[in-house]
Amino acid sequence: MPDGLTMFCPNDFPLRPLPFEFVEIIGTMALKIKKGAQSNMDMPSGRMNWADPARSRPLQYELDETDFRLMRALVTEGRASDVSLGETVHLSSTAVARRRKILEETGYITHYSANLNVRALGYGTLVVVSIELVSQAENVLRDFEHAVLQSPSMRFCAFITGDTDFLMIMNVQSLDDYDMIYRKELSVLPHVSRIRSSFVLREVANRQIAPAILQGRR
């Protein structure tokens, strides 16, 4: 983004640069027009709607390096104030608030949450569960996916490629706790032919997002 824009004025008046805040506003408006985004004035409620988390891709918005710096700062501390973020990314608090709102409304930021210490809560054992089904017929997959969503101990579940069908991650209290979960939740899942469980001995890394994703353009 340019450091300043020059105001148009008659020849007998000196040219003066616009303040950075106005430059950002004009640049954002031009970007929305260029990308064909709907303006706030066109929205029935007078504001843009919060992006749907189920959206496959965010709304059109061209990220710049400042946006990536801001997102890196928010990943580190999601509760940081606009003033604090401004000091980190070298913007005013007003510019930070405006950029944060755009990132939210275009779907790059979907929500804010708290990271809980599951070990302090008594669930320090992590289990990776591989599940193989009797087939990959549509009704088989649908039945299993519906049933697994009812499992209160399931933290993550995904349909994957390879020699198994589904991968699950669970936090449990102990081996005895997992044995009870296995009997009450896993063994009753429909169309399952094989279950393999692996206990994590040591967690090497647990990132919310890979740093490379927020490095900007390569």
Side-chain angles (χ1 to χ4, degrees):
M1 187 170 291
D3 294 331
L5 292 179
T6 302
M7 296 178 59
F8 174 80
C9 60
N11 294 332
D12 55 344
F13 288 93
L15 297 177
R16 295 183 179 179
L18 283 172
F20 178 77
E21 298 297 336
F22 290 99
V23 175
E24 278 233 321
I25 293 174
I26 294 171
T28 301
M29 292 173 59
L31 177 60
K32 287 185 176 180
I33 294 172
K34 177 182 178 182
K35 292 296 181 180
Q38 191 173 19
S39 69
N40 292 358
M41 297 293 290
D42 297 329
M43 303 300 290
S45 62
R47 57 174 295 183
M48 294 184 69
N49 295 328
W50 186 268
D52 182 357
R55 188 185 298 276
S56 59
R57 293 187 61 184
L59 300 174
Q60 290 184 344
Y61 173 68
E62 187 175 347
L63 297 172
D64 60 21
E65 294 302 322
T66 302
D67 291 320
F68 283 106
R69 291 202 307 271
L70 179 57
M71 287 188 288
R72 287 197 296 269
L74 284 169
V75 167
T76 302
E77 179 51 75
R79 297 181 63 186
S81 67
D82 292 336
V83 174
S84 175
L85 290 169
E87 294 174 353
T88 302
V89 301
H90 309 296
L91 289 178
S92 69
S93 59
T94 303
V96 167
R98 183 166 54 252
R99 282 178 177 267
R100 188 211 292 254
K101 183 178 181 182
I102 291 174
L103 292 173
E104 293 169 350
E105 292 173 341
T106 52
Y108 289 101
I109 297 176
T110 59
H111 66 281
Y112 299 91
S113 62
N115 292 325
L116 303 182
N117 187 339
V118 292
R119 186 175 296 277
L121 294 171
Y123 289 79
T125 302
L126 192 65
V127 187
V128 180
V129 183
S130 301
I131 298 178
E132 185 177 343
L133 303 184
V134 294
S135 76
Q136 292 188 357
E138 180 63 28
N139 67 301
V140 171
L141 296 175
R142 182 175 61 251
D143 291 346
F144 176 85
E145 291 174 6
H146 176 75
V148 80
L149 290 176
Q150 313 308 314
S151 173
S153 301
M154 183 270 295
R155 169 182 163 188
F156 171 88
C157 182
F159 183 45
I160 63 173
T161 61
D163 58 358
T164 191
D165 295 311
F166 286 87
L167 185 69
M168 293 177 59
I169 296 178
M170 296 179 167
N171 289 96
V172 301
Q173 295 178 311
S174 62
L175 288 172
D176 290 338
D177 184 37
Y178 178 70
D179 180 60
M180 180 183 66
I181 292 171
Y182 185 94
R183 295 170 186 271
K184 291 185 177 182
E185 299 180 32
L186 297 181
S187 65
V188 298
L189 291 172
H191 311 303
V192 173
S193 65
R194 185 178 183 183
I195 298 177
R196 290 176 292 180
S197 305
S198 301
F199 286 76
V200 174
L201 298 179
R202 181 174 61 254
E203 194 174 88
V204 178
N206 185 5
R207 294 167 170 163
Q208 180 181 353
I209 187 169
I213 295 176
L214 297 179
Q215 290 303 313
R217 300 179 181 85
R218 299 181 181 179

